[in-house]
Structures are given as structure tokens and as C-alpha cells.
Amino acid sequence: MARESFDKEIQFLRMLVLTSGAFSRQQFAERLGISVHTFDKTIRRLKDVVSSMHQHLPQEQRKELSETIRFSYYDSADPLLLFLFRAKSVKESESQRISLLLGAMNEQALTAMELLDMYCGSLSPGLPLPDEKTIRSDLKYLEEVGVIKRESGPRPYRYRIQDELVRSLSDEELMDLYDFVDVMANTQVPSVQGYLLRDGLKKHLLRNQARQHAVEPFLYKYHYYSRILDEAHLFTLLHAIRQRRKVHFLYFSPKSEQSYVARSTNPLFERGTEGKTEKTLPLKIVYDHQYGRWYLLSYGREGIRKYRMEGITQIEEDESVNEAWYEEKKHELAEKIRYSWLIDTGRPVTVRARFYNPEDSEPNFVKERVRLQGQWGQIVMEDEHSFLYEITVNGTTEIKPWLRSFGSSCEVLEPARLRREMIAEWKEIQAYYESV
Amino acid sequence: MNLFEKIFNHQIISRLEDSGTFMVTSHERAWLKTMLDHPAAADAFTPGTLDKLRSILEPDQVMDTSRHLIEKARSQEQQVYHPLLRPLRRHIMNKTGIRLTYQIKSGRVNTDHSGCPYKLEYSMVKREWYLLWYHTRHHAFMRTRLKNIHSVAAEPMEPSMAEGILKKLGKKLDSRRSEAVIEIIRDYNEELSRILYAFSSFEKNVEYDTENDTYRVRVSLSADELEYLLSKLRFLGKRVRVMEGDYLKRRMLEASTKALDRYGVISEGEELSS
């Protein structure tokens, strides 16, 4: 069976989050490159996942999907898009069996035969009985993902759930662990595994009498909320990098209107798509904090290539390459991006800008922000009213928005071209508001 | 590592929840083990707990993500944890009152002011922690940087009073919200995705005018978020234009006028010297 792909769901959720409310069903489906029928089906499927994750909410709290994943700051620090990673399909009977087995191993260490007996005993009559092989393969899977552990001792082997993490900690310690996981998942990347762990710990705390109030003490301001969607590709790409393997995928440039297309078995239907098949060798992954976006930097026929993670669909691994050559390419890339504000590999230029201190305010928030966000740039001169900031960057395109975000507190001195561009742009902005 | 594991399936998870079973995978443990290497771990746990966790996770792997991942344009990480987080989160949990000694903007120190803690807030932009709390005597909603708090002690508070304050705070935060409408200039529709990403950290709705092929973003925000929105608007520059929101419009006009003043004066000087 082909591996289940979540491209459609990812593109779908991203669009829903970014354009919340902008499009009709028809427009939405068109932009995704799917039929309205598939659109409805996808929405139904995602709703199922969401409602089973929030099954304990009273009926009136179960909102529409678009409402549910609307960003609402003071409600909760729960990452609502996390449910995407709960969407892997599993047969009803299998989900029942696995949860029952885990429940049994929660209390004691058991052998495969004991589990089989227990399981058969708990089934309602008339249902087909599982065989020993099924149970053994379940155990193998659960051991592989690290959920259960085989106890040491002679055959027959006994298995028990691997929950030292909560079992050996006191309530106080569990609280500290929960907080740490919450903070790190929210402030570091990657975060999805952290959010999954947070979810498990939270439920565990709530089961043990903690109140809702106790598990949500933290808020995080100005998060890029859809960033966790792209972590879906992260581990596939990391695997390829570790194995020095090429990958191929269907790429939708963010500038194209469409962002997904149904996988078609008939090549005749592929003509109409805007996506482009790319084959490339992944070298590095970049997370851009300025927008909360992910990039893949790779090596292709034309040299260094850059892809936005959000445009990558139908990704698959390909052949591996020679180690020495791979290291060489990696080194080449490292040299090229040394001065990238984000990912620009253009010619390095030195940018000099004067920043003006706020007139009557202490602390100096301008300087504080330059120090925080100015990356490897240096403050080279200071007087009472202003300071000079200098940085060497590849091209000026990527740093420009940041400089502009300081408004009149920043004056670009060099290069002259950037200075002229800034002046022209401020003139345009002024014209927007002059009539006000 | 595949994030779409069968074991994370929603039906399995909700069944485990029903039977009260805690389940954790090696993926999550590897993540945790990696995070424990961060200096923040030392502030998050007592040394005893940290040792315990490290020994529990001893057989697990560490993620090698950081070898292949570069983070760009990130604010310098000043503080991920603050020593006051642990005591304060316990006061919040217990709904007790607090007595705070803290420094305000002017540098003056307020000693032993009573209040009720609400939440702890981390700013991803400033990379620092704030305490949101209610000042009992001033009847005011406060946001105080943890690094400006000199001391904090628990103070008894009637549970009914704490409940009342927390409820009131929730309502107050909602009522302080205002709306602004920002149009994406049509010439830049190609950059739509980038622009919408920039607004994605706000509570917002997007409207699409089919006839004119124009997008408008309706942002809902509280007064103290205006400065951040303004910095985003300047960041995006001529790509966007404020359609509704007089304060924002005025500030944008002011910023552009002042910026041009700066350039005007200095560019003349340059011409003379060159």
C-alpha cells in the first residue's frame, strides 16, 4: 500500500488558517486544485478528528472547523493545528485492539498469550477473534515506537507500558515537567513531538485531579501559528539529509494560485497542473523566524536551489550520493549563506544605517530591538542621539523590511541604492495616507 | 521518525484517555531529552528532578535536528525560563493573592503591592517573560516584566474574590479589543502568501473581493498590540494600506513624513560633500 500522504490536509489547513473566511467553497477548492466534492470530504474527515479529540466538550462548544481553528489569543495555548498529526487512518478494530492492549499492560507486565486471552475475553461475542500473530505484530510495533518495553527475564517475554516518565515523578515534579515541555514546545523548533508530549501530560494531570486552570498558566505572544504544519515534511527531509539521498516532489511556487493537486494515475491529467516536478539533493533546512516559514536548501542541476517548504507535495526519496561530494556541496552552501539575512545567496554588501534613540523614553527600545534582532550586525559608533549599525549581508532585499519596520528611527546610509529605494518607498507610503 | 504514526491516531488517543492510560513514544522522549540539554532546563527543575529525568531518558536517543537546521532572523534568546516562573505558576494554580515588589518604567520601585496573578506571558518578539496580574488597590490590569520583579510572596485571598477577579479580567481583555482593516495592494497579490504569513500571528479574518481581486485583512486586537501591528505594517511597507483605523493611519503618515525628513536633511548634506 502506498504511504498515506497528508499533503492535501496540510495545504487545506494552511489555506484555512491564512485566508480565514476569504473564500467560498468553490473558490477554496479551485485554489487547492481539488473538486468541491473532495473539499467537502476533506472537511468532514478533519472535523471527525477534531471532534474525537474534543469529545468531552459539551455539544454547544463543538464549533465549526473554521471556527475551531481560528486563532484566539486569550483562550488557550493549545496548538489547535496539532490535530493534523492525529489524522493517520487506523481501522476501527485495530484502534480498539491497540488501546485495549495498552490499557492491560498499564497495570502489569503480560506475555503475548496472556494478552491474547485477555483480549478474546473482552470481545463481544460474534466478533472475529484475532490470532496470536496479530497480537505479536502489535507488540512488535508498540515496542518499535517505544511505547512498551520487554521486561528482562526468560521466555515467554513479558511486556509492560513504558511510563517511567510519569510513574517515577512526584506531583510537584510532574508539574515542572509539564511546564518545561509547554515552554520548550512553544519557544523552540522542532515542536510537534513536544506538543504531542504536552498533550499526553496534560491529560494525565487532568485525570489526577488537576483543574483546567492549573494546566494553562502560560501564554505566548505573536506565534506563527501555522508553522507546525511544515514540520510534517521536516523529518522526511532530515532523513534524506542523513542518508545523503536525493528527493523528488511536486513543487508549487508560493506565487502560483494553486497549492495542491490530486495525485493522478493517468498522466494525461497531469498537463493542467501548475506544479513542477523537482529532483534535488537536500543539504540544509532553514526556519525563518521573521515569518514563521520553513525552507529547504538543496543542490540541483542548476546549483544551489531554495524551496519553500509549504510548496512541497508528494515528496519521495531517491538515490543516494557519494559522501565526499556531498560534503563538498554542503561546504559550498555554508559559504554561500554565511551572510544571508534569511536565505539570499546574492553578492555580499555592507549596509550601514543610523538608528535614532527615542526622544524621551527610557529604556531605549530602539537599541534593544536592534541588539535583539540585528543578527551578526554591529553597533560601530554611538552618540547621545543615535548609533550606527553595520552589517554585511547577501543582497539588500531580505534586510530591507526589517530596517523599514523601525520607521523614522532608522535612516539607511549605505549602499546608496538601498537609500534611494527607502526614500522612494516612504514617499509612496506617505501618499497612501496624505489625504487622511 | 514519522510524525504521522499510527500510534498518534486520534481514535487510539481518545480510547486511551477513556481508560486512563498514559502513553509516550520514543519520538517524544527523544525530543524531551534534546530539550533537557538547553540551558533553560537548569531553571525549570530542581537538580534532583533533572538528574532523575536524565536517568529515565538515558536509553533514549537525542535528536540531531540542530545539525541540519538553521534558524534565521531569530531574536537573540535572552531568557527562555525565568527563576520566578516556578513560584508564580504555583500561585496562579492555587488562585492565591500575591504581594509584589517591582520596578516601573521610571525606575521607581513599588513595594509590597497586592494583587491577583492571572497568567504568565512570553513574548516571542522580545524573548522574555511577563506577569499578567490584577492590581487590587488600583483596580488595574497589569503587565510586568519578570526581570523587573524584585520579590513576590503569596498572600491569602478569598477564593470567591479571586474567582471574581479572574472572571472580570477575562471580560476586560475581550472588551479592550478593537478592529483595523488592512488592504493588500492588488499589485502585490503575488506576494499574498508572504503577506498573510506576516499577519498570521493576529486574530483576523480575510475578505476577498472577487470583482476587484482584492484582499482585505480584518485584524482584531487590543490596544497594547497596536505598536506591534504598526511595526508589521512598516515591515510590509507599500504592499499594504490601512483602510480602517484612524490611529494606525495617523501613525503611518507620521512615520513616513518623519522618515522623509530624516532623509531630506541628510541627503542635501551628502550632495554637498560629494
Side-chain angles (χ1 to χ4, degrees):
Chain A
M1 197 179 80
R3 209 181 52 174
E4 191 177 6
S5 146
F6 293 88
D7 292 338
K8 185 169 54 198
E9 285 77 8
I10 294 170
Q11 300 300 354
F12 183 93
L13 286 173
R14 187 191 334 271
M15 192 130 136
L16 204 57
V17 170
L18 290 180
T19 66
S20 38
F23 300 128
S24 68
R25 265 163 84 229
Q26 181 72 45
Q27 288 170 325
F28 205 114
E30 245 167 52
R31 271 149 212 266
L32 274 169
I34 58 178
S35 68
V36 175
H37 175 72
T38 312
F39 172 87
D40 289 342
K41 234 170 58 185
T42 310
I43 265 228
R44 226 177 299 131
R45 180 170 137 84
L46 290 172
K47 262 189 184 167
D48 276 351
V49 181
V50 171
S51 64
S52 89
M53 290 315 294
H54 298 111
Q55 59 178 337
H56 301 299
L57 290 181
Q59 199 62 40
E60 68 267 25
Q61 280 189 35
R62 295 198 198 164
K63 305 171 202 155
E64 287 293 304
L65 185 65
S66 57
E67 273 297 298
T68 309
I69 65 170
R70 236 180 86 96
F71 177 73
S72 174
Y73 179 62
Y74 283 104
D75 275 359
S76 147
D78 279 333
L80 281 162
L81 293 178
L82 189 65
F83 74 86
L84 168 73
F85 300 97
R86 304 286 196 203
K88 169 102 185 156
S89 46
V90 173
K91 273 197 223 128
E92 180 78 17
S93 60
E94 194 178 2
S95 82
Q96 213 165 21
R97 197 174 64 240
I98 287 183
S99 44
L100 221 82
L101 294 178
L102 284 174
M105 286 181 281
N106 191 21
E107 278 133 36
Q108 53 193 317
L110 293 167
T111 66
M113 289 315 283
E114 284 167 339
L115 282 164
L116 181 64
D117 283 348
M118 181 279 315
Y119 185 61
C120 291
S122 70
L123 276 184
S124 35
L127 282 176
L129 293 177
D131 53 14
E132 193 189 331
K133 216 177 108 195
T134 313
I135 301 288
R136 287 205 186 276
S137 89
D138 285 343
L139 288 174
K140 189 167 164 250
Y141 171 72
L142 291 172
E143 203 184 347
E144 257 167 31
V145 289
V147 174
I148 61 168
K149 208 158 84 178
R150 197 176 73 194
E151 298 218 315
S152 53
R155 280 170 187 272
Y157 295 133
R158 293 179 170 275
Y159 299 87
R160 80 155 42 239
I161 204 152
Q162 195 172 345
D163 64 349
E164 284 81 359
L165 202 54
V166 296
R167 204 156 30 84
S168 52
L169 296 184
S170 68
D171 288 352
E172 277 287 298
E173 290 176 317
L174 263 179
M175 191 61 79
D176 284 340
L177 176 62
Y178 174 74
D179 288 354
F180 180 69
V181 171
D182 189 303
V183 171
M184 299 311 267
N186 275 293
T187 60
Q188 313 291 313
V189 283
S191 60
V192 170
Q193 292 90 350
Y195 280 130
L196 291 168
L197 178 58
R198 176 187 179 275
D199 202 38
L201 285 170
K202 182 173 176 177
K203 284 173 179 152
H204 181 78
L205 288 172
L206 289 173
R207 269 198 298 275
N208 294 317
Q209 317 309 321
R211 285 161 305 167
Q212 191 69 32
H213 181 71
V215 290
E216 280 170 5
F218 304 134
L219 292 170
Y220 301 87
K221 199 147 208 172
Y222 308 127
H223 239 325
Y224 293 108
Y225 180 51
S226 53
R227 77 194 187 289
I228 69 169
L229 295 177
D230 287 324
E231 285 190 29
H233 292 317
L234 177 63
F235 293 92
T236 316
L237 288 168
L238 285 174
H239 185 263
I241 291 177
R242 259 180 240 123
Q243 309 287 318
R244 302 187 309 272
R245 279 181 184 282
K246 291 185 181 172
V247 294
H248 63 257
F249 48 80
L250 188 64
Y251 186 62
F252 292 87
S253 147
K255 290 193 175 162
S256 81
E257 287 236 308
Q258 218 174 39
S259 58
Y260 175 80
V261 68
R263 192 192 289 255
S264 155
T265 42
N266 183 346
L268 281 179
F269 288 115
E270 281 178 9
R271 266 187 310 168
T273 67
E274 285 186 59
K276 215 172 143 219
T277 307
E278 303 275 342
K279 182 168 172 174
T280 198
L281 179 67
L283 297 172
K284 276 272 181 206
I285 293 164
V286 174
Y287 179 69
D288 159 18
H289 283 267
Q290 213 160 261
Y291 289 103
R293 296 190 309 196
W294 295 84
Y295 295 90
L296 164 66
L297 304 186
S298 65
Y299 189 82
R301 262 200 312 235
E302 312 83 347
I304 302 288
R305 297 296 314 264
K306 300 159 207 166
Y307 298 96
R308 283 260 298 276
M309 211 88 118
E310 63 171 282
I312 296 177
T313 67
Q314 300 178 19
I315 183 165
E316 265 170 71
E317 270 186 24
D318 246 305
E319 78 270 11
S320 66
V321 301
N322 170 284
E323 187 171 357
W325 188 73
Y326 187 72
E327 287 308 317
E328 189 189 308
K329 291 301 155 203
K330 251 173 95 163
H331 185 73
E332 200 177 296
L333 174 72
E335 282 300 305
K336 280 210 164 134
I337 58 171
R338 178 185 296 180
Y339 297 118
S340 308
W341 182 258
L342 300 173
I343 55 164
D344 195 339
T345 44
R347 205 173 50 82
V349 283
T350 299
V351 173
R352 296 177 75 225
R354 183 181 294 281
F355 285 87
Y356 295 88
N357 299 331
E359 271 159 33
D360 46 1
S361 135
E362 249 339 289
N364 186 342
F365 56 85
V366 174
K367 196 162 148 195
E368 207 175 306
R369 188 146 85 87
V370 170
R371 210 171 41 77
L372 264 181
Q373 304 173 342
Q375 303 207 66
W376 58 92
Q378 299 284 334
I379 293 174
V380 292
M381 224 173 72
E382 264 184 276
D383 63 30
E384 210 185 317
H385 307 289
S386 67
F387 58 91
L388 272 184
Y389 166 86
E390 205 176 279
I391 187 169
T392 302
V393 279
N394 293 344
T396 54
T397 321
E398 291 180 335
I399 196 176
K400 199 164 132 189
W402 181 71
L403 293 169
R404 195 174 47 228
S405 76
F406 285 88
S408 59
S409 300
C410 168
E411 179 193 349
V412 173
L413 304 175
E414 281 169 45
R417 190 180 41 81
L418 180 62
R419 185 181 165 90
R420 280 196 301 273
E421 283 170 12
M422 275 304 196
I423 295 171
E425 195 151 338
W426 281 122
K427 278 185 185 156
E428 269 189 75
I429 295 168
Q430 192 186 40
Y432 285 173
Y433 299 101
E434 240 163 5
S435 55
V436 180
Chain B
M1 191 172 310
N2 179 9
L3 280 177
F4 294 98
E5 270 301 339
K6 190 159 78 175
I7 193 71
F8 296 133
N9 167 275
H10 61 105
Q11 282 150 317
I12 296 183
I13 298 294
S14 69
R15 287 209 163 94
L16 288 176
E17 200 180 340
D18 291 342
S19 68
T21 311
F22 175 81
M23 185 269 298
V24 58
T25 61
S26 46
H27 299 179
E28 295 152 273
R29 285 195 302 269
W31 179 87
L32 178 60
K33 188 171 181 176
T34 313
M35 291 302 158
L36 286 179
D37 284 339
H38 193 284
D43 288 321
F45 301 101
T46 63
T49 310
L50 199 52
D51 283 347
K52 212 182 208 177
L53 283 169
R54 290 209 167 112
S55 87
I56 295 170
L57 298 171
E58 209 270 318
D60 285 291
Q61 305 235 313
V62 175
M63 289 165 79
D64 66 347
T65 321
S66 59
R67 283 182 50 207
H68 310 297
L69 174 69
I70 317 171
E71 295 181 46
K72 282 288 194 177
R74 151 170 158 156
S75 296
Q76 215 178 76
E77 207 167 70
Q78 322 217 84
Q79 154 196 109
V80 177
Y81 245 80
H82 187 281
L84 281 176
L85 280 188
R86 292 184 68 229
L88 280 170
R89 82 89 72 215
R90 282 166 174 80
H91 298 325
I92 291 174
M93 175 173 72
N94 300 328
K95 295 191 183 171
T96 67
I98 46 169
R99 213 167 48 236
L100 279 184
T101 297
Y102 61 101
Q103 191 179 321
I104 55 173
K105 263 192 189 148
S106 63
R108 214 182 64 214
V109 174
N110 286 340
T111 310
D112 284 341
H113 284 222
S114 294
C116 178
Y118 175 58
K119 295 227 179 198
L120 288 151
E121 178 181 82
Y122 188 71
S123 161
M124 295 298 289
V125 182
K126 302 219 157 126
R127 294 268 161 185
E128 126 167 78
W129 283 96
Y130 295 76
L131 173 66
L132 310 186
W133 60 291
Y134 182 78
H135 194 296
T136 323
R137 207 155 43 88
H138 297 170
H139 302 287
F141 175 58
M142 311 283 289
R143 168 182 273 122
T144 306
R145 289 177 181 213
L146 293 201
K147 80 169 182 208
N148 288 341
I149 296 179
H150 293 190
S151 71
V152 55
E155 189 171 67
M157 182 178 266
E158 280 292 314
S160 62
M161 187 171 163
E163 286 291 348
I165 289 175
L166 294 176
K167 213 176 255 168
K168 206 159 87 186
L169 267 185
K171 276 205 192 117
K172 197 164 175 182
L173 289 173
D174 274 343
S175 68
R176 299 209 307 181
R177 302 191 80 76
S178 63
E179 269 196 350
V181 177
I182 294 136
E183 182 171 292
I184 298 169
I185 304 296
R186 199 176 56 188
D187 291 351
Y188 299 99
N189 275 1
E190 266 210 342
E191 294 178 43
L192 181 69
S193 147
R194 191 166 79 90
I195 297 167
L196 290 177
Y197 259 90
F199 286 114
S200 72
S201 48
F202 293 97
E203 201 172 317
K204 54 123 183 52
N205 256 318
V206 183
E207 289 152 18
Y208 176 56
D209 176 351
T210 323
E211 229 164 85
N212 299 308
D213 190 24
T214 306
Y215 295 86
R216 285 186 174 198
V217 185
R218 192 174 286 273
V219 182
S220 156
L221 75 176
S222 62
D224 53 10
E225 293 180 294
L226 285 167
E227 281 306 316
Y228 183 63
L229 179 59
L230 276 164
S231 82
K232 281 280 153 190
L233 293 172
R234 295 188 300 254
F235 183 90
L236 292 169
K238 59 186 180 186
R239 287 159 191 78
V240 294
R241 178 180 179 176
V242 181
M243 302 307 285
E244 283 173 36
D246 290 340
Y247 175 75
L248 292 172
K249 285 188 199 169
R250 204 171 61 236
R251 287 285 306 273
M252 288 306 286
L253 178 63
E254 197 181 289
S256 49
T257 310
K258 272 192 177 171
L260 286 169
D261 268 0
R262 297 248 195 242
Y263 284 109
V265 173
I266 293 177
S267 67
E268 274 174 20
E270 255 180 9
E271 275 160 26
L272 285 177
S273 65
S274 61

